[in-house]
Amino acid sequence: MTIRDVAQAAGVHVSTVSRAFSASHLVKRETRERVLAIAADLGYRPNETARALTTGRTRNLGLIVSDIANPFYPPLIKAAQAYARVRGYQVFVADTDEDVAVEEELIRTLARQVDGVILVSPRLANDVIGRLGGELPFVLVNRSVAGLSAVLMDVAHGAALAVEHLAGLGHEHLALVGGPRGSWTSAQMRRAAGRAAADQGVRLDVLAPNPPTEHGGIVAAPAVLETGATGVIAYNDLVAIGLIEGFDDRGVRIPRDLSVIGVDDTVAGRLNRPRLTTVAMPTAAAGRTAVDLLIQTVETSGGGPATAQTVLATSLVVRDSTATPAHPAG
Amino acid sequence: MTIRDVAQAAGVHVSTVSRAFSASHLVKRETRERVLAIAADLGYRPNETARALTTGRTRNLGLIVSDIANPFYPPLIKAAQAYARVRGYQVFVADTDEDVAVEEELIRTLARQVDGVILVSPRLANDVIGRLGGELPFVLVNRSVAGLSAVLMDVAHGAALAVEHLAGLGHEHLALVGGPRGSWTSAQMRRAAGRAAADQGVRLDVLAPNPPTEHGGIVAAPAVLETGATGVIAYNDLVAIGLIEGFDDRGVRIPRDLSVIGVDDTVAGRLNRPRLTTVAMPTAAAGRTAVDLLIQTVETSGGGPATAQTVLATSLVVRDSTATPAHPAG
DNA sequence: TTGAAAGCGCTAACAT
DNA sequence: ATGTTAGCGCTTTCAA
């Protein structure tokens, strides 16, 4: 079922059918309606692949994340994909498994088959991202690179809130369990938490890098204990949950002996016992916003690469993993 | 950077370049190596869109699930996508939001841009799936339709294990909280649980349909209580977690007052307190197997639609949400 | 407002 | 073993 069949059935030229679908104002109203009706009858749908070849636009988007199974991502993927569909785009989802080489290769592979790519929490170096960004429209999420559009979540503010919460509870010695090398979020947290700790007059020890996983948290637990901190801020909920497990193995109870704060506000943190105090990240909104920004970039080919940065607010969700320190540290 | 540039640079015809990439045995070894080297130098990559137009093969796969945010899916999506990439395929991921109309529309939209589609836990009627399956290669997961390839998880066995576990603990009155209308898994569970209950000589009440979500569980809790059952098997972990919340709101404690079993073995169930006893589903294996089956179907254009059904084993993971009944029911 | 024709980048007969 | 040529299904000038 091609455009030719429809043209023949409607008694018009293929170019008229083409216009009926893609430039409806260029064809007489009744012709268009007749063509469309016949097309619907025949079950004709324009072949997107052929369209892509002539127009250079695929109406496909790429969404590259580091780990689909990390509960931080599913809500973002879901929202991005749903919103893209509403806008007439399909999305390729790909997972780098936290591997920088895979990340770059994925981008190159996808490059030709998509109109643009959303990179969530990329681990690639700034210059590499910048260079690739010159070849293909990008929207970054959780990463800021000069000249590229980005959707940022205000994790700096979130980290500050976390420090203030802990300090307000009476904790005088905190530890920050950072994320993987190359993580912009981790760097932001570190800076903001450091500043907030200074403001509050509390001590802050930083432990990094760590894998952004539950296992990463379990492994980091002993080192955290060694610092003597009574309040801990983890890179994300998964790490926080891992830390709590690690502490538990050593007889350290949360929040009795230690307070722990996660980041992301995933289901995992909500289900965990004790329920996790965490910095809420607006992941679904980030997914939608990223798609919106990307489509805008792609469809505004005329105006040059209009880059935009959107910052989404974060907040602190206080639950059961934080409390007043039992043995005020010195 | 097109095939023509490479041809020119290498001093050969475009068809030779084409063959160097896609039918290497048809070109002299040294020519091929020279062409490939020059192509690499120039950063040339075959345009998949153009390829698709001539060959009719896109090297893209569609993966349609009902809810990306349901923790059952991410491991499956991750595995499917990773394995597809190894085999040289990219995957579109789409979410139906449990809406049958969206499901069908998604399939039609994707049809032209992919070589085949993996439908996970589809809610569409058998005849609709059968008809669509005639237009496009399908692999079903968690659903069996005559004439179509499928990857099944032996949830019937899992449900039987759950019933036996509960009966073995001394529960004499069970309830099964089923899933949504159209769910093959739910039907399988119902049948198998019914049979197992009869075998064990215990009573089984069935409550269905229910949304496959935490909220669905919360809402179903009172009805479960009314049955007087002391052991409950839920459609999935999410529903089980919701039930436990609902029970908790009514002062019913798990596993003291009631035993609850989930299905899927998601992180959610593992993190929940009490940690959930659950039927483990091999989701990652299912994702890989589905991709393997689909690619096999697609690449064996000659042999006709060789349909295959693979059944993956399930097992019972006993954790803390099940125990001996406190007040043996009559 | 519509038709004609060229061409997007590539593959696949068909020649040589 | 390599070159020639005709499309794949569509869009988009250019004419009429």
Side-chain angles (χ1 to χ4, degrees):
Chain A
M1 195 34 62
T2 80
I3 201 173
R4 244 178 293 268
D5 301 310
V6 179
Q8 187 154 19
V12 296
H13 196 267
V14 292
S15 51
T16 303
V17 178
S18 173
R19 288 184 194 105
F21 276 92
S22 36
S24 51
H25 59 285
L26 289 179
V27 59
K28 191 166 62 178
R29 184 213 204 78
E30 35 185 83
T31 311
R32 167 165 40 94
E33 282 170 0
R34 190 163 48 83
V35 167
L36 259 24
I38 290 177
D41 243 41
L42 266 40
Y44 167 80
R45 294 218 183 185
N47 181 323
E48 290 297 337
T49 303
R51 264 188 167 168
L53 193 57
T54 33
T55 62
R57 302 261 328 275
T58 60
R59 296 193 80 80
N60 291 156
L61 265 28
L63 178 60
I64 299 181
V65 305
S66 58
D67 177 13
I68 296 172
N70 180 328
F72 169 77
Y73 289 113
L76 190 154
I77 298 172
K78 184 182 172 86
Q81 168 277 147
Y83 183 63
R85 202 164 62 76
V86 169
R87 299 285 299 267
Y89 285 76
Q90 294 299 325
V91 6
F92 286 110
V93 176
D95 180 310
T96 68
D97 237 339
E98 298 281 349
D99 184 324
V100 182
V102 172
E103 191 172 320
E104 185 168 0
E105 174 55 24
L106 229 25
I107 294 171
R108 293 198 188 286
T109 304
L110 246 29
R112 289 300 233 310
Q113 345 194 21
V114 299
D115 294 337
V117 167
I118 296 170
L119 280 181
V120 191
S121 310
R123 309 280 185 242
L124 247 23
N126 269 4
D127 58 333
V128 179
I129 294 184
R131 182 156 36 76
L132 289 167
E135 304 172 16
L136 179 75
F138 271 175
V139 167
L140 270 26
V141 176
N142 276 345
R143 177 77 174 255
S144 177
V145 172
L148 292 180
S149 292
V151 177
L152 273 11
M153 307 193 217
D154 195 353
V155 68
H157 180 235
L161 288 178
V163 169
E164 287 161 17
H165 171 64
L166 255 15
L169 247 22
H171 294 271
E172 298 174 349
H173 182 176
L174 310 181
L176 173 67
V177 179
R181 213 179 298 281
S183 164
W184 178 87
T185 297
S186 190
Q188 291 290 110
M189 284 176 64
R190 186 170 181 158
R191 186 168 322 149
R195 194 174 305 137
D199 287 355
Q200 301 285 322
V202 300
R203 174 173 165 195
L204 177 78
D205 291 334
V206 178
L207 285 74
N210 301 283
T213 59
E214 193 177 342
H215 186 249
I218 295 176
V219 171
V224 172
L225 257 19
E226 272 176 26
T227 65
T230 62
V232 187
I233 301 171
Y235 173 68
N236 66 17
D237 283 1
L238 248 29
V239 171
I241 290 168
L243 284 171
I244 294 175
E245 284 179 60
F247 294 151
D248 200 70
D249 292 345
R250 287 173 171 69
V252 177
R253 297 287 169 264
I254 310 303
R256 197 195 61 190
D257 305 323
L258 220 50
S259 285
V260 177
I261 298 185
V263 173
D264 287 351
D265 190 18
T266 59
V267 264
R270 193 165 52 74
L271 258 20
N272 191 70
R273 288 299 178 286
R275 297 180 311 144
L276 209 59
T277 292
T278 186
V279 175
M281 302 276 258
T283 48
R288 272 189 300 274
T289 308
V291 168
D292 193 34
L293 230 54
L294 186 52
I295 292 179
Q296 203 170 299
T297 305
V298 163
E299 296 188 347
T300 317
S301 50
T307 77
Q309 303 236 131
T310 304
V311 179
L312 302 174
T314 58
S315 59
L316 186 71
V317 179
V318 177
R319 291 199 282 238
D320 311 333
S321 64
T322 48
T324 302
H327 319 283
Chain B
M1 194 38 57
T2 80
I3 200 173
R4 242 178 294 269
D5 300 311
V6 179
Q8 188 153 19
V12 295
H13 197 267
V14 292
S15 52
T16 302
V17 178
S18 172
R19 285 191 277 255
F21 276 92
S22 35
S24 50
H25 59 285
L26 290 179
V27 59
K28 192 166 60 180
R29 183 215 204 79
E30 37 185 81
T31 313
R32 168 164 40 95
E33 281 169 2
R34 190 164 48 84
V35 168
L36 259 24
I38 289 177
D41 241 44
L42 266 43
Y44 166 80
R45 294 219 183 185
N47 180 324
E48 289 297 336
T49 304
R51 263 188 168 167
L53 194 58
T54 36
T55 61
R57 301 263 329 276
T58 60
R59 297 194 79 80
N60 291 157
L61 264 27
L63 178 60
I64 300 182
V65 306
S66 58
D67 177 12
I68 295 172
N70 180 327
F72 169 76
Y73 289 113
L76 190 154
I77 298 172
K78 183 181 172 85
Q81 167 279 146
Y83 183 63
R85 203 165 60 76
V86 169
R87 300 284 299 266
Y89 286 76
Q90 294 298 325
V91 5
F92 286 111
V93 176
D95 180 311
T96 67
D97 236 338
E98 297 280 348
D99 184 326
V100 182
V102 172
E103 192 172 319
E104 185 169 359
E105 174 55 24
L106 228 26
I107 294 170
R108 291 197 191 288
T109 304
L110 247 29
R112 289 297 234 311
Q113 339 193 26
V114 300
D115 294 338
V117 168
I118 296 170
L119 281 181
V120 191
S121 309
R123 308 283 185 239
L124 247 22
N126 270 2
D127 57 333
V128 179
I129 294 184
R131 182 157 36 75
L132 290 166
E135 305 172 17
L136 179 74
F138 271 175
V139 167
L140 271 25
V141 176
N142 274 345
R143 177 79 173 256
S144 176
V145 172
L148 293 180
S149 292
V151 177
L152 273 10
M153 308 193 217
D154 196 355
V155 68
H157 180 236
L161 288 178
V163 169
E164 287 161 17
H165 171 64
L166 256 14
L169 248 21
H171 294 272
E172 298 175 348
H173 183 176
L174 310 182
L176 173 67
V177 179
R181 214 178 298 281
S183 164
W184 178 88
T185 297
S186 189
Q188 292 290 110
M189 284 176 64
R190 187 169 179 160
R191 186 167 322 148
R195 194 174 306 137
D199 286 353
Q200 301 286 321
V202 301
R203 175 174 164 193
L204 177 78
D205 291 334
V206 178
L207 286 75
N210 301 282
T213 59
E214 192 177 345
H215 186 249
I218 296 177
V219 170
V224 172
L225 257 19
E226 272 177 26
T227 66
T230 62
V232 188
I233 300 171
Y235 173 68
N236 66 17
D237 283 1
L238 247 31
V239 171
I241 290 168
L243 283 171
I244 293 175
E245 285 179 61
F247 294 151
D248 199 71
D249 292 346
R250 287 173 171 71
V252 177
R253 297 288 169 264
I254 311 302
R256 196 194 61 190
D257 305 323
L258 220 50
S259 285
V260 177
I261 297 185
V263 173
D264 287 351
D265 190 19
T266 59
V267 262
R270 194 165 51 75
L271 257 20
N272 192 71
R273 287 300 178 281
R275 297 180 310 145
L276 210 58
T277 292
T278 187
V279 175
M281 302 277 256
T283 49
R288 271 189 301 273
T289 308
V291 168
D292 192 34
L293 231 52
L294 187 52
I295 292 179
Q296 203 171 298
T297 305
V298 163
E299 297 188 346
T300 316
S301 50
T307 77
Q309 303 235 130
T310 303
V311 179
L312 303 175
T314 58
S315 58
L316 186 71
V317 179
V318 178
R319 290 197 281 239
D320 311 333
S321 65
T322 49
T324 301
H327 319 286

